[in-house]
Amino acid sequence: MNKQIGIKVLWLDQYAKLKEENQKLKTDLDNALEYCNALLEDKESYNFDEVEGKPLLQAVNALRIQRKELKIIENEREWVSEGLSKFVDILRASQDNLEDLCDQIINNLVSYLGITQGGLFVVDENIEDRKELILISAYAYERKKYINRSIKPREGLVGQVFIEKKPMYLKEIPDQYVNISSGLGKAKPTNLFIAPMMMNEEVYGIIELASLNEMPEFQREFILKLGESIASTIAATRNAARMKILLEDSQIQAEQMRAQEEEMRQNVEELQATQEEMHRKQKELENTNSKMKNNEAVLQKAFDKMRTADENHKIKFSELEVTINQKEDEISKLLEEIELKNQEIEKLRGQL
């Protein structure tokens, strides 16, 4: 009898324990269900702390933590994606003027990041044999700072980032940095991020951002990605400017060529007119030559006649001279005979 009572008591104890465990399991399941519903409904205010010693609740809580972390990552990615989309629109709309483009970028970047100050340096390619970084645009506390500032490679933190082609993030900034090395104003931020704007391993400029709060890694990565887009746009803008200059030069050259062609056309027309005048004069000269040749032939004939007549005259003159000489000789002889006759007559007269 006592044995039966002992068995019954043992069974009641086991039953009570099983009932208690079942109740505890039911409570854990109810809590797990409540946790799951709270997880599905994204109830941030729900208390998920009382999970120690409760494996099921711990698993649900671990899932909640993981989901929260994934949501943070998703929000960061969405923030980065929206930011890149926003700046792509800005870059597309402001490619005509590099200074206006930089103003738009730094103004919107300071606002989007929620920081205090920002500056944008661009490599000046107009300086021969060396490069300098020109601070084109700077904003501080929603006011644009008009600062004429240039930095050489290796000069200050900006020049160092330019040479090393690697970003620099400082959580402790020297008190004198803002006034001496940054040129962003007199505020004294506690965090500074300097990032190169690169494309194809070439640095086109530097972004310098200062904040009173820490800049998380996803924001810094966003700035680096944005820097690549800005570098690409700067390259495109400069190429467009070069193409515009080349186009203007080509247009000027085309105008000059057209003017030269017009001048050459006029010269050709004048040359053709000159050639036609020369041909006309050549024909006139040929006609004149022909007439001269005809006249020369006529003159030659006349000359030949004159020469023949002259020769005939010379022959007749010679013959006449011979005849005259003969006549003179005959006259001389007659005169001598007459003289002799006269002498004889005188002698006869004397004798008579």
Side-chain angles (χ1 to χ4, degrees), residues 76 79-80 109 112-115 193 209 211 213-226:
E76 291 175 352
W79 183 89
V80 171
L109 186 58
Y112 193 71
L113 292 172
I115 59 177
F193 184 57
L209 302 170
S211 176
N213 302 313
E214 289 189 9
M215 282 183 255
E217 184 177 357
F218 77 93
Q219 287 188 352
R220 301 198 299 272
E221 291 178 355
F222 162 75
I223 294 168
L224 291 175
K225 291 180 180 178
L226 177 60

Side-chain angles (χ1 to χ4, degrees), residues 52-290:
E52 187 175 355
K54 301 176 181 179
L56 183 58
L57 295 183
Q58 287 178 345
V60 174
N61 191 45
L63 180 62
R64 179 189 68 85
I65 294 173
Q66 184 179 13
R67 182 176 177 180
K68 186 175 182 180
E69 292 174 350
L70 290 175
K71 186 176 181 180
I72 292 174
I73 294 174
E74 183 180 354
N75 290 336
E76 291 175 352
R77 289 178 178 174
E78 183 178 355
W79 183 89
V80 171
S81 178
E82 290 179 356
L84 291 176
S85 177
K86 171 185 176 70
F87 281 94
V88 164
D89 294 337
I90 294 173
L91 294 174
R92 287 176 179 173
S94 305
Q95 291 188 5
D96 295 334
N97 185 285
L98 184 58
E99 184 173 353
D100 292 342
L101 173 63
C102 292
D103 285 346
Q104 289 288 329
I105 291 171
I106 203 65
N107 185 26
N108 284 274
L109 186 58
V110 168
S111 176
Y112 193 71
L113 292 172
I115 59 177
T116 57
Q117 302 175 26
L120 201 151
F121 295 82
V122 174
V123 176
D124 188 355
E125 293 184 338
N126 296 323
I127 304 175
E128 297 181 358
D129 301 329
R130 60 189 178 93
K131 291 184 177 180
E132 283 190 3
L133 292 162
I134 306 299
L135 181 60
I136 291 187
S137 184
Y139 277 81
Y141 299 105
E142 300 181 353
R143 298 191 311 275
K144 180 178 179 181
K145 299 292 184 180
Y146 291 93
I147 304 167
N148 186 10
R149 179 88 191 276
S150 64
I151 294 179
K152 298 178 181 179
R154 302 185 186 278
E155 181 181 351
L157 300 180
V158 173
Q160 183 178 346
V161 170
F162 174 77
I163 290 297
E164 295 179 355
K165 300 182 180 180
K166 294 180 180 180
M168 180 182 298
Y169 180 50
L170 300 177
K171 293 184 180 181
E172 293 182 2
I173 307 175
D175 292 338
Q176 72 276 14
Y177 175 78
V178 172
N179 293 329
I180 296 175
S181 302
S182 175
L184 297 181
K186 295 184 179 180
K188 295 181 180 179
T190 56
N191 291 264
L192 181 69
F193 184 57
I194 305 173
M197 298 185 295
M198 296 178 57
M199 186 182 73
N200 298 329
E201 298 300 321
E202 182 179 355
V203 179
Y204 285 82
I206 301 292
I207 301 175
E208 185 182 34
L209 302 170
S211 176
L212 298 174
N213 302 313
E214 289 189 9
M215 282 183 255
E217 184 177 357
F218 77 93
Q219 287 188 352
R220 301 198 299 272
E221 291 178 355
F222 162 75
I223 294 168
L224 291 175
K225 291 180 180 178
L226 177 60
E228 295 176 1
S229 299
I230 298 173
S232 176
T233 303
I234 291 174
T237 301
R238 285 179 170 172
N239 289 334
R242 293 190 190 101
M243 290 298 294
K244 184 178 180 181
I245 293 173
L246 291 175
L247 179 60
E248 291 175 351
D249 291 342
S250 65
Q251 289 175 345
I252 293 173
Q253 291 176 358
E255 289 294 332
Q256 292 176 347
M257 289 182 65
R258 279 195 288 270
Q260 291 175 355
E261 288 177 357
E262 179 63 21
E263 184 178 358
M264 289 179 64
R265 185 185 64 79
Q266 293 177 357
N267 291 336
V268 169
E269 290 179 353
E270 292 177 358
L271 181 61
Q272 289 176 346
T274 303
Q275 287 178 343
E276 291 175 357
E277 181 67 17
M278 288 180 64
H279 289 157
R280 185 181 63 78
K281 290 184 177 180
Q282 185 176 2
K283 287 182 179 180
E284 291 179 355
L285 183 60
E286 288 176 354
N287 293 331
T288 303
N289 288 335
S290 179

